[in-house]
Amino acid sequence: MTTERLGAVVTGGSGAIGGAVARLLVDRGYRVTLAYSTGESRAKQLAAALGNSCQIQQADITDADDVGRLVNAANEWAPLDVVVNCAGAVNSGLLVRQGPDEWRRLIDVNLFGTYNMCRAAVPLLLRGRAGLVVNVASAAGLVASPRQTSYSASKAAVIALTRSLAVECAARNVRVNALAPGLVDSAMTSDMPARVRTALLDRIPLHRPGTAEEMATAVGFFVDCTYMTGQVVVVDGGLSA
């Protein structure tokens, strides 16, 4: 367990996985800056529950200037040691029915949002010669996910970014890994059509969705395993087996 009052920043703080990660890191002694774009009330409720070890910041991860302000505020509150990029968006539909604007939105949030956070935070970690970045990708970035071509493409790009960035940063003891969840019960998946959900559950050997807390446990593993970098941990109930 971490004993120093080191800092962490978690994007997607009003979402299920982001909230679970924030709780885990606070339990491990971190001071967590919880970033959100929408869902202010949920972020405030979580911060209130976590007490003085959590602060919230609104930020648009597709805006590099906004991300810069977020990262600086987090680092001033507590020297950054952990960055968890949970923020993301999903859009379902056949490729031939999706226009360029829909694709650009997914790429902007999932890929460029991750890029913006890494570009702002990694120099701070490199200067400190230590730290961890966890990029939340998806099992859809590794296996076929029909009707989610834009989402799959964006998350596959996050995995590639993670692996290459890990090699760039390793000499200064900064680790970069990716978490690839499968189906997780969350607000993002709550409006999934019943037939699509059923078909997906039929493909999962454990025959159930994962929980946000199970995803957070994997982030805790990244924190603990200091010899791991450039890796993708898939937590999907066996979907990609």
Side-chain angles (χ1 to χ4, degrees):
M1 178 179 290
T2 300
T3 56
E4 300 176 1
R5 298 295 285 169
L6 294 173
V9 59
V10 179
T11 67
S14 61
I17 295 177
V21 169
R23 286 190 289 271
L24 178 139
L25 291 174
V26 166
D27 286 345
R28 287 169 174 251
Y30 286 87
R31 301 185 76 184
V32 176
T33 297
L34 195 65
Y36 68 95
S37 176
T38 59
E40 181 180 17
S41 62
R42 291 192 298 274
K44 285 184 174 179
Q45 288 173 4
L46 178 57
L50 295 178
N52 294 333
S53 294
C54 181
Q55 67 170 355
I56 60 173
Q57 293 282 333
Q58 186 172 24
D60 176 1
I61 61 168
T62 67
D63 185 321
D65 291 336
D66 224 16
V67 167
R69 287 189 288 270
L70 164 65
V71 169
N72 287 336
N75 192 59
E76 288 174 4
W77 193 50
L80 272 186
D81 184 64
V82 174
V83 177
V84 186
N85 293 313
C86 289
V90 65
N91 190 12
S92 299
L94 297 174
L95 181 144
V96 296
R97 295 180 180 174
Q98 287 186 322
D101 289 344
E102 293 175 278
W103 263 70
R104 288 192 185 97
R105 176 178 174 272
L106 264 290
I107 297 298
D108 280 348
V109 174
N110 294 341
L111 178 56
F112 274 92
T114 302
Y115 157 78
N116 286 334
M117 282 296 299
C118 289
R119 190 167 185 267
V122 164
L124 297 173
L125 303 180
L126 292 174
R127 284 199 289 271
R129 294 185 176 272
L132 168 67
V133 177
V134 179
N135 296 323
V136 177
S138 171
L142 296 167
V143 297
S145 186
R147 303 181 66 86
Q148 289 191 325
T149 53
S150 55
Y151 181 72
S152 296
S154 67
K155 292 300 189 177
V158 168
I159 290 171
L161 180 158
T162 298
R163 287 173 167 153
S164 295
L165 184 60
V167 175
E168 291 182 11
C169 296
R172 294 201 177 186
N173 198 38
V174 173
R175 298 177 295 118
V176 187
N177 293 292
L179 166 64
L183 177 63
V184 176
D185 275 332
S186 66
M188 184 180 290
T189 61
S190 62
D191 60 352
M192 180 182 292
R195 61 180 179 80
V196 175
R197 182 182 177 89
T198 299
L200 183 54
L201 286 172
D202 286 342
R203 294 171 56 198
I204 299 174
L206 289 181
H207 297 296
R208 68 170 178 86
T211 67
E213 289 71 25
E214 287 169 327
M215 305 307 124
T217 297
V219 174
F221 174 69
F222 286 132
V223 172
D224 291 339
C225 189
T226 56
Y227 194 54
M228 174 179 282
T229 194
Q231 302 304 308
V232 182
V233 170
V234 185
V235 186
D236 65 356
L239 174 65
S240 60

